[in-house]
Every structure is written in C-alpha cells, then in structure tokens.
Amino acid sequence: MTAPSQSYMRPGFVIALVLRLLTSSLAILVPLYAISLGASPSEAGVFVVVLWLGNGVGAAAATLAIRNQSASSTAGFAILGASMLTLGARVPSIPLLLGVLASGVGMGLPQPFLSAVMHLDSAPERPFTGLGVYSTALGAGLVLGPLVAYGVHGVYGFSGVFEALAVVSALGAVGALAGRGGLAGRPRPPVPSVVGWARALAKPSVRRALAVNLLYSLLLPVFLSYGGVYAEARFGFSPGEAFLLFTLVFLVSAAARYSSIGRSMDPWKVLLASVGFLVASALCVGLAPSWPVFVAGMLLFSVPHAMVFPVANFLAFRSVDAGDVTNVSYAFQASSGVAEVLSPVVAVALIPVAGLQGVFSIGGAVACVAFVLTARRFVAPPSALRGSSGPQDALPPGGA
C-alpha cells in the first residue's frame, strides 16, 4: 500500500471549520425561521427533528455507500449549498421541510470519517495533533456560525442568512476537493463492523465513554435548537440577540478548548467536571427566574460543549488498536446521531405538556445520570482501572 502523499490536516481543518459553521448556524436558525413563519415552538421542533434525521441519513450514506472522505464531503457541501439557496429563495414548489431535510443530509455526509482520518494522521511523537487541529477548526466554526448569522440577519433577514451560508458551503466544497491528494494511497474507510464494536465495547472505558457521550448528545440539540426559541418566548430576546448569545457561548467554548492544549490532566477528571457543568447548566436554564440567570446557564453550557465529546472520543480511541479507531468513531457517530434525532422527537411531545422550561429541567435529570455514570469510574475496583490510565493521559484539545 502506498503511503499518503501529503497530510490531510489543512483540508481537514477547512472542512471541519466550514461544517461546524454551517451546523451551528442551522441548528439555531431553522427553528427561529420556522417561528418567524408562524410555527409554534412545538411545530418548530418538527423542523429540528427533520434536520437531525437528515443528518443521520447523510452520515449513514457516507458510511455504508460512499466510504470516501473526499467524495462524501464534496457531495455534502453541494447539497448544503443547493438547500441553502432553496430556503433563502423560499421556492414555492419545494416544501420547507424538504429543504431542511436536504440540509441535514448535507450536514451528515462529511462527518463519519473526518475525526478518525485526522487522528490517524498525527505523528507518533505528537499523538494529539489530529484531534487538536480538528478541535481548533470546530471551535472557530462554532464562533463564526452564529456570528455570521447575527451580522447578516440584521441587514438582510433570514433569506440573506441562508444565501450567505450557501457561499460558505461552496468554500467547504473547495476544501474537500483540495484534500484529494491527502487521501491518495489510503485504503477506503472500513464498513462498520459489529464484531469490532463488540471487541471495543468489551472494554469498560469504551462503554463508559460511549454512554456519557450518548447522554450528552441527547441534550446538545435541546440547547442548540431550543435555547434561542426559549430565549425569545420566555425572556423576549430577538432572533439577532439569540444569535449573539450563542456567539458568546461558543466563544467561551473555544476559549476552554484553547486553554486545554498542552495540559497534562487526567481526562476522566476533566470529563467528570465537564458533566458537572452540564448538570448546573441545564438546571440553571430550566429554573431561570430571569434572563441574567438564563444567560449564565447558557454560558455554563460552554464547558461541556467544549470538552465532553472530544474527551470521551479520545478516551475511546486511546483504548483500542489503531485498526479499530475508525470503527469506534462510527459507534460514536451512530450514538450521537440516534440521540440527536430522538431528543427533538421527545421534545416535540413534551413541549405542549411541560413547556420549554420543563424540557430543560428534565435535561438536568439526564445530565445527572451522565454525572453519576462518570463518577462511578472513580469508585470502580482497582482491577477494572488497571491499564486505563498512565503518563500518556494528557488532555487533548477539546471540540464538539
């Protein structure tokens, strides 16, 4: 097998940045846009469900059918660009739900292989470089996404935001095409292996990391897609102010990632602290009596948003052989995808009964389960912990 002709770090950085800019924008934009067209919060939740359902379809198509990072990324950004133009133009013959579904499919196509490809591209003496570059790109995209939406919306409204995101999608396609050389000589990503999953899940550290990520992923779409709606309905925020709030949240998240670079800390302790912040954030938002408390709760979410997914991912990657890294990455993508579809479905059913405030309060209970699950790692029998930590356990830069 021929060695890769060049590194995938630079094109991977561009793809990750553009993709996270688009996903962070759309997760906030879609429900706000639906409400501006007259939908209720519960009805807007249907659009959120369709967006994340499309994301799962795109990820499954990339994993099972395409299995080519360059091709799936190029196709994903092309679909995103076309759907953004359709949504921006509000083409009468194309239902809004169809445009949102297409956007989700475009979001999902570039995702399944990217973190694993960049992780495996790291030099042996700098094993966290791939995740570090990947996470840095995610952090930048997270900040730029709502910031771009905020700036464009103030001048051109929702249609202008969709059109701006179409241009961003084109930049992602350019990055995907530029990265073809970095994939030359590499084998195609493997198909998902149930046997490989069973082998990985036999390791307690992988099971625990996967379970914590699953619970966190149940809450992620609630914060992203309903945080702005909740701010608007309960505290009188405008769509622009909601975009600005998320810009601040993601800016703090990016700062948390940056501060973690190069620090040697036990990643399990970092995960425990991050999930603790998730508990505090959900309860603070759900029980907020005023907008300053709500904003404080959203800012608390910055820490788990920065750290839970990458640290859990790293703990799982570190626990398996290099040949199983991509397959374990599939498991994480699948668990996140299932949670990101299931959570909005449950929210749609709960909102008419418990209200948005109740949904966030219930999210606090889910976060508590994740906290207990993580904390139990520290009271496990010594034999269960043997070999699971050591001097190599430096905290990688985070990103989600």
Side-chain angles (χ1 to χ4, degrees), residues 7 60 141 290 297 307 346 355 365:
S7 170
S290 60
M307 307 308 296
V346 173

Side-chain angles (χ1 to χ4, degrees), residues 328-339:
V328 169
S329 178
Y330 291 159
F332 267 80
Q333 296 284 347
S335 69
S336 295
V338 168

Side-chain angles (χ1 to χ4, degrees), residues 266-355:
D266 181 350
W268 281 109
K269 291 181 180 178
V270 173
L271 188 62
L272 181 65
S274 299
V275 176
F277 273 94
L278 184 63
V279 174
S281 173
L283 293 177
C284 196
V285 171
L287 302 176
S290 60
W291 73 263
V293 178
F294 164 75
V295 170
M298 292 297 293
L299 291 175
L300 286 173
F301 179 67
S302 301
V303 176
H305 184 268
M307 307 308 296
V308 172
F309 175 79
V311 173
N313 223 289
F314 164 69
L315 287 167
F317 284 176
R318 186 197 61 186
S319 301
V320 300
D321 296 332
D324 284 331
V325 165
T326 301
N327 200 49
V328 169
S329 178
Y330 291 159
F332 267 80
Q333 296 284 347
S335 69
S336 295
V338 168
E340 288 163 356
V341 172
L342 179 62
S343 178
V345 170
V346 173
V348 167
L350 284 176
I351 288 172
V353 178

Side-chain angles (χ1 to χ4, degrees), residues 41-76:
S42 180
E43 291 167 340
V46 174
F47 290 89
V48 176
V49 172
V50 169
L51 180 69
W52 290 110
L53 181 63
N55 181 75
V57 171
T63 303
L64 299 175
I66 302 175
R67 290 175 47 224
N68 181 300
Q69 175 64 44
S70 181
S72 61
S73 296
T74 304

Side-chain angles (χ1 to χ4, degrees), residues 12-400:
F13 179 92
V14 173
I15 292 170
L17 186 152
V18 170
L19 184 62
R20 189 54 81 228
L21 189 158
L22 291 167
T23 55
S24 64
S25 299
L26 287 172
I28 305 164
L29 177 65
V30 165
L32 291 174
Y33 182 52
I35 286 177
S36 76
L37 297 177
S40 69
S42 180
E43 291 167 340
V46 174
F47 290 89
V48 176
V49 172
V50 169
L51 180 69
W52 290 110
L53 181 63
N55 181 75
V57 171
T63 303
L64 299 175
I66 302 175
R67 290 175 47 224
N68 181 300
Q69 175 64 44
S70 181
S72 61
S73 296
T74 304
F77 288 122
I79 293 171
L80 272 165
S83 64
M84 292 300 96
L85 290 175
T86 299
L87 290 170
R90 294 171 66 176
V91 179
S93 61
I94 301 179
L96 180 61
L97 275 175
L98 183 59
V100 173
L101 177 64
S103 299
V105 172
M107 282 166 43
L109 281 167
Q111 292 182 26
F113 320 115
L114 188 56
S115 62
V117 169
M118 296 180 72
H119 173 70
L120 293 172
D121 227 15
S122 303
E125 65 274 12
R126 300 182 65 189
F128 305 136
T129 302
L131 281 175
V133 173
Y134 175 72
S135 303
T136 301
L138 294 182
L142 284 165
V143 174
L144 290 173
L147 186 61
V148 168
Y150 167 73
V152 176
H153 179 271
V155 180
Y156 300 105
F158 285 107
S159 295
V161 176
F162 285 119
E163 291 166 3
L165 294 182
V167 175
V168 175
S169 300
L171 295 177
V174 170
L177 291 171
R180 288 180 298 177
L183 298 171
R186 304 183 193 227
R188 292 181 72 188
V191 295
S193 167
V194 175
V195 173
W197 286 347
R199 183 168 56 245
L201 290 172
K203 302 176 184 294
S205 57
V206 175
R207 290 199 304 271
R208 196 179 305 275
L210 190 63
V212 172
N213 178 69
L214 174 65
L215 293 169
Y216 163 74
S217 297
L218 286 170
L219 297 180
L220 180 62
V222 173
F223 274 89
L224 293 186
S225 294
Y226 289 106
V229 175
Y230 184 46
E232 192 174 54
R234 181 170 169 78
F235 302 110
F237 281 47
S238 67
E241 289 168 339
F243 288 131
L244 197 58
L245 172 60
F246 275 102
T247 299
L248 183 59
V249 169
F250 294 146
L251 189 61
V252 175
S253 176
R257 289 187 188 87
Y258 182 78
S259 68
S260 71
I261 297 175
R263 297 198 176 195
S264 296
M265 293 186 289
D266 181 350
W268 281 109
K269 291 181 180 178
V270 173
L271 188 62
L272 181 65
S274 299
V275 176
F277 273 94
L278 184 63
V279 174
S281 173
L283 293 177
C284 196
V285 171
L287 302 176
S290 60
W291 73 263
V293 178
F294 164 75
V295 170
M298 292 297 293
L299 291 175
L300 286 173
F301 179 67
S302 301
V303 176
H305 184 268
M307 307 308 296
V308 172
F309 175 79
V311 173
N313 223 289
F314 164 69
L315 287 167
F317 284 176
R318 186 197 61 186
S319 301
V320 300
D321 296 332
D324 284 331
V325 165
T326 301
N327 200 49
V328 169
S329 178
Y330 291 159
F332 267 80
Q333 296 284 347
S335 69
S336 295
V338 168
E340 288 163 356
V341 172
L342 179 62
S343 178
V345 170
V346 173
V348 167
L350 284 176
I351 288 172
V353 178
L356 288 169
Q357 189 172 12
V359 170
F360 280 100
S361 298
I362 293 169
V366 174
C368 285
V369 175
F371 183 82
V372 171
L373 185 61
T374 309
R376 287 189 63 188
R377 190 263 176 190
F378 294 95
V379 296
S383 60
L385 301 180
R386 190 173 298 125
S388 65
S389 63
Q392 76 277 18
D393 291 348
L395 176 68

